[in-house]
C-alpha cells in the first residue's frame, strides 16, 4: 500500500464496516422474520435463493472477528443493529437475547480499544412491519423512533458515533421502484412515500437520541456519480435526473430541507400529503456526514416513463459487481458535499471497497485489484483533504466476505476471506496491506 497512516491528519480515523443481516446469522438468538427472509424465499429474487440465516455466523464468532479488527490496527468498527433481533415483531415485546448480544458486542469492541460506530437500520425490516406497509407507511417513523429508544437505551452510553439509517436511496428507491431489494416493489407511489418516510424516520431517530443525551450523530448517504453518455442536452438532463433521485434528494432533504425541483414532475404527485411540513424533523442538525461511495454510472435519455432515462455501459475497468472503478467520483463528491450540503461538518467515508472473485491459494488470498482500488480511492481522499475538505475518517467495506443481498454470497467484498462451508476466516493480502499502512 503506497499510503501510510501518517499521511493523514492527526486523529484521522480508519475503520471497517459490516451490517447485521449480512454477517450475523439471522437464524440465531431469537430474531424475528424480516422482509429479506421472504424476499429471498421468492424464486428469482436472490441468486440461488441464498439468505442470511447463517451468513458468517458472526453471532457466535464476533470475538474472533474483532481480534482481526484489532490486529489490523483499525480505530473504529461500523456495525448495524438488527431491528428484528431486538424486537422480533418490530414493536412490543423485546427479545432480551438480542439486546444482550449487542451489549456483549459493544463491550468486546471496547475491550480491544476499538470505537463502536453503530447504524440502527441496515435493511432487514421486521416482517410484521412490512405487513403494515413498511416504509410506505408514515407510522414507520414512530416505530423506528421506539426501536431507537430501546436499543440506544441499552448501548447508547458506549457508542462512539451513531447513524440512524444506512443508504436511504437503497432502502427506498432501489427497493420500491427498481424492485431489486426487499420488499421488491416496482411502484412510483410506494417509492416516493418510502423516500420521504426514510428521511422522516432518520430525523425522528436523531431526535430520540438527542433526547437520550447522545452526541456524535450523523447520516450515511450512498452516492453514485452520474455522467452523460454524450454531449447532448438530453443526456446531460438524464444524468442530472439520476443525480437528483439518487444523490441530491436525500442530501437535500437533510441539509437543505428541500427536494430537488427536477424530481417534482415524477415524484411530486406521489409524495405523502403535507410532506413540506416534515422538514424540521428531517433536517435536524447533525454532527457529521457519512458518504458511501463505490462507482459512477453513465446515462442517456429514453422515451419511457419517468425518469425518462437509461443507463449505458461505461468504458472503465469494472469490479466483480460490474461497477466501474472511478476514484475521481469520490473526490468530486467530497468537495461537492462540503460545498453544497454539509459545510464544515466532518465528512466520513463510511463505506468504500470492491468485490473481487478472490480465491485461496496456498493459504493466501492474493487480491492486488483490491489493494489498487483502496490506494486510488485514498488518493482521492488525500486530494480532497489537501484542498481543505473536512474529511475525518475512512471505513472499508467490508471486514468480511458476506451476504451481498440479491447477489448472494459470491460477490466478495471482504478484507478477510470467508469460506462459507467451513466458515474459516483467512486474511487477504489487502488486509495485510491495510495493516501495514495503519502501522506506519
Ligand atoms: O453490501 C453493501 C452494503 O450492505 C451497503 N453498501 C454497499 C455494499 C456493497 O454493495
Amino acid at each position: 500500500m503506497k499510503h501510510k497512516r501518517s499521511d493523514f491528519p492527526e486523529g484521522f480515523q480508519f475503520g471497517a464496516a459490516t451490517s447485521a443481516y449480512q454477517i450475523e446469522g439471522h437464524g440465531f438468538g431469537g430474531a424475528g422474520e424480516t422482509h429479506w427472509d421472504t424476499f429471498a424465499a421468492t424464486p428469482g429474487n436472490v441468486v440461488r435463493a441464498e439468505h442470511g440465516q447463517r451468513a458468517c455466523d458472526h453471532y457466535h464468532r464476533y470475538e474472533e472477528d474483532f481480534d482481526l479488527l484489532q490486529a489490523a490496527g483499525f480505530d473504529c468498527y461500523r456495525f448495524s443493529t438488527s431491528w428484528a433481533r431486538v424486537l422480533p415483531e418490530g414493536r412490543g415485546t423485546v427479545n432480551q437475547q438480542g439486546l444482550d448480544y449487542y451489549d456483549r458486542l459493544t463491550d468486546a469492541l471496547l475491550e480491544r480499544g476499538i470505537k463502536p460506530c453503530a447504524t440502527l437500520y441496515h435493511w432487514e425490516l421486521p416482517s410484521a412491519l412490512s405487513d403494515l406497509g413498511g416504509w410506505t407507511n408514515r407510522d414507520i417513523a414512530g416505530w423506528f423512533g421506539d426501536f431507537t429508544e430501546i436499543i440506544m437505551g441499552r448501548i447508547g452510553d458506549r457508542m462512539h458515533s451513531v447513524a440512524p439509517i444506512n443508504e436511504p436511496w437503497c432502502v427506498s428507491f432501489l427497493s420500491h421502484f427498481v424492485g431489486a431489494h426487499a420488499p421488491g416493489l416496482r411502484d412510483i407511489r410506494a417509492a416516493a412515500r418510502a423516500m420521504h418516510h426514510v428521511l422522516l424516520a432518520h430525523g425522528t431517530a436523531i431526535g430520540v437520541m438527542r433526547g437520550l443525551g447522545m452526541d456524535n450523530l450523523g447520516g450515511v448517504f450512498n452516492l453514485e456519480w452520474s455522467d452523460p453518455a454524450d454531449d447532448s442536452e438530453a443526456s446531460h438532463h438524464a444524468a442530472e435526473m439520476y443525480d437528483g433521485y439518487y444523490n441530491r434528494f436525500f442530501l437535500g432533504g437533510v441539509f437543505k430541507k428541500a427536494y430537488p425541483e427536477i424530481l417534482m414532475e415524477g415524484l411530486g404527485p406521489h409524495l405523502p400529503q403535507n410532506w413540506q411540513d416534515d422538514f424540521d424533523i428531517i433536517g435536524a442538525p447533525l454532527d457529521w456526514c457519512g458518504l458511501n461511495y463505490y462507482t459512477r454510472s453513465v446515462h442517456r435519455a429514453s422515451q419511457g416513463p419517468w425518469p425518462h432515462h437509461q443507463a449505458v455501459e461505461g468504458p472503465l475497468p469494472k469490479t466483480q459487481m460490474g461497477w466501474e472503478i472511478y476514484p475521481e467520483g469520490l473526490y468530486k463528491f467530497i468537495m461537492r458535499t462540503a460545498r453544497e450540503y454539509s459545510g464544515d461538518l466532518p465528512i466520513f467515508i463510511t463505506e468504500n471497497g470492491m468485490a473481487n472473485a478472490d480465491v485461496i491459494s496456498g493459504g493466501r488470498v492474493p487480491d492486488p485489484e483490491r489493494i489498487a482500488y483502496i490506494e486510488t480511492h485514498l488518493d482521492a481522499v488525500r486530494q480532497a483533504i489537501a484542498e481543505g475538505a473536512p474529511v475525518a475518517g475512512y471505513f472499508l467495506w467490508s471486514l468480511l466476505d458476506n451476504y451481498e443481498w440479491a447477489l448472494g454470497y459470491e460477490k466478495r467484498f471482504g478484507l478477510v476471506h470467508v469460506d462459507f462451508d467451513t466458515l474459516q476466516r483467512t486474511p487477504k493480502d489487502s488486509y495485510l496491506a491495510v495493516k501495514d499502512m495503519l502501522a506506519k
Side-chain angles (χ1 to χ4, degrees):
M1 188 75 66
K2 75 183 209 198
H3 303 284
K4 307 187 286 294
R5 185 193 272 279
S6 57
D7 294 329
F8 292 82
E10 183 74 33
F12 190 89
Q13 293 171 355
F14 285 94
T18 63
S19 92
Y21 192 82
Q22 291 178 273
I23 64 167
E24 284 177 355
H26 198 75
F28 308 123
E33 190 179 60
T34 80
H35 68 178
W36 264 96
D37 300 311
T38 46
F39 183 76
T42 307
N45 281 346
V46 177
V47 172
R48 291 180 294 273
E50 287 169 350
H51 49 69
Q53 289 304 297
R54 183 173 80 147
C56 304
D57 190 24
H58 178 74
Y59 184 82
H60 296 109
R61 297 167 195 246
Y62 64 90
E63 301 257 9
E64 178 190 342
D65 294 337
F66 293 170
D67 286 346
L68 284 164
L69 265 179
Q70 184 186 34
F74 283 112
D75 309 301
C76 300
Y77 176 57
R78 182 170 172 256
F79 68 103
S80 76
T81 53
S82 164
W83 191 341
R85 179 176 296 293
V86 173
L87 290 162
E89 296 293 313
R91 302 178 290 174
T93 308
V94 170
N95 172 30
Q96 281 305 329
Q97 286 184 80
L99 277 184
D100 293 347
Y101 166 67
Y102 290 117
D103 201 66
R104 289 197 299 278
L105 188 127
T106 299
D107 286 343
L109 288 168
L110 292 173
E111 278 158 21
R112 289 166 177 79
I114 298 165
K115 295 180 170 63
C117 303
T119 304
L120 296 173
Y121 179 80
H122 195 129
W123 306 357
E124 61 287 313
L125 188 71
S127 293
L129 300 183
S130 193
D131 293 344
L132 298 174
W135 291 102
T136 68
N137 185 337
R138 182 183 176 84
D139 291 345
I140 196 157
W143 304 331
F144 188 59
D146 294 343
F147 164 58
T148 302
E149 180 125 30
I150 291 168
I151 181 67
M152 285 300 129
R154 180 70 180 266
I155 62 172
D157 57 332
R158 283 156 289 156
M159 290 301 106
H160 173 66
S161 69
V162 184
I165 291 168
N166 186 63
E167 302 187 349
W169 180 81
C170 293
V171 174
S172 54
F173 201 91
L174 182 68
S175 308
H176 297 78
F177 190 77
V178 181
H181 277 191
L185 298 183
R186 298 193 63 248
D187 181 87
I188 191 168
R189 196 168 179 80
R193 279 150 198 256
M195 289 167 85
H196 184 71
H197 294 150
V198 77
L199 292 183
L200 189 61
H202 155 90
T204 302
I206 294 288
V208 168
M209 290 189 282
R210 296 284 184 216
L212 291 172
M214 295 173 62
D215 60 11
N216 210 11
L217 309 180
V220 171
F221 306 88
N222 57 311
L223 304 180
E224 187 172 298
W225 194 259
S226 73
D227 276 328
D230 53 54
D231 259 350
S232 68
E233 203 181 305
S235 291
H236 277 273
H237 185 76
E240 228 183 286
M241 180 69 82
Y242 190 80
D243 186 34
Y245 69 72
Y246 202 115
N247 306 311
R248 291 188 183 275
F249 181 93
F250 303 98
L251 286 168
V254 169
F255 290 108
K256 294 185 174 180
K257 301 188 177 183
Y259 296 144
E261 198 45 49
I262 193 173
L263 303 180
M264 286 304 133
E265 173 210 345
L267 296 181
H270 306 294
L271 284 167
Q273 252 187 344
N274 301 326
W275 54 274
Q276 295 92 339
D277 298 345
D278 290 329
F279 280 125
D280 282 342
I281 298 174
I282 291 174
L286 298 178
D287 303 313
W288 52 270
C289 175
L291 308 182
N292 292 0
Y293 177 79
Y294 292 90
T295 188
R296 72 151 187 181
S297 53
V298 180
H299 303 272
R300 69 165 169 237
S302 87
Q303 295 305 316
W306 188 90
H308 317 302
H309 73 77
Q310 67 189 68
V312 300
E313 193 177 331
L316 302 176
K318 300 186 179 63
T319 70
Q320 192 192 16
M321 297 290 277
W323 295 348
E324 284 195 316
I325 300 175
Y326 186 61
E328 294 87 343
L330 178 57
Y331 163 77
K332 292 197 260 192
F333 269 132
I334 294 171
M335 302 310 286
R336 186 175 96 173
T337 302
R339 190 174 60 243
E340 297 185 29
Y341 295 100
S342 55
D344 292 337
L345 283 187
I347 289 179
F348 288 87
I349 309 310
T350 31
E351 282 182 27
N352 181 236
M354 73 176 279
N356 198 44
D358 304 316
V359 286
I360 301 193
S361 144
R364 272 189 49 206
V365 186
D367 57 345
E369 304 84 353
R370 181 172 291 102
I371 295 173
Y373 182 100
I374 297 170
E375 278 183 336
T376 53
H377 286 78
L378 284 176
D379 282 338
V381 170
R382 286 179 63 186
Q383 185 187 348
I385 292 173
E387 291 177 26
V391 192
Y394 174 85
F395 290 70
L396 281 154
W397 184 271
S398 179
L399 175 64
L400 304 170
D401 289 339
N402 60 47
Y403 180 62
E404 182 52 25
W405 306 110
L407 301 174
Y409 289 97
E410 78 187 16
K411 306 295 183 202
R412 295 184 174 271
F413 273 94
L415 295 173
V416 175
H417 181 277
V418 176
D419 179 323
F420 290 107
D421 294 323
T422 63
L423 295 175
Q424 186 176 339
R425 276 75 163 143
T426 309
K428 301 179 188 176
D429 283 1
S430 57
Y431 170 96
L432 300 172
V434 169
K435 176 176 175 181
D436 187 53
M437 169 180 85
L438 294 180
K440 291 180 179 159

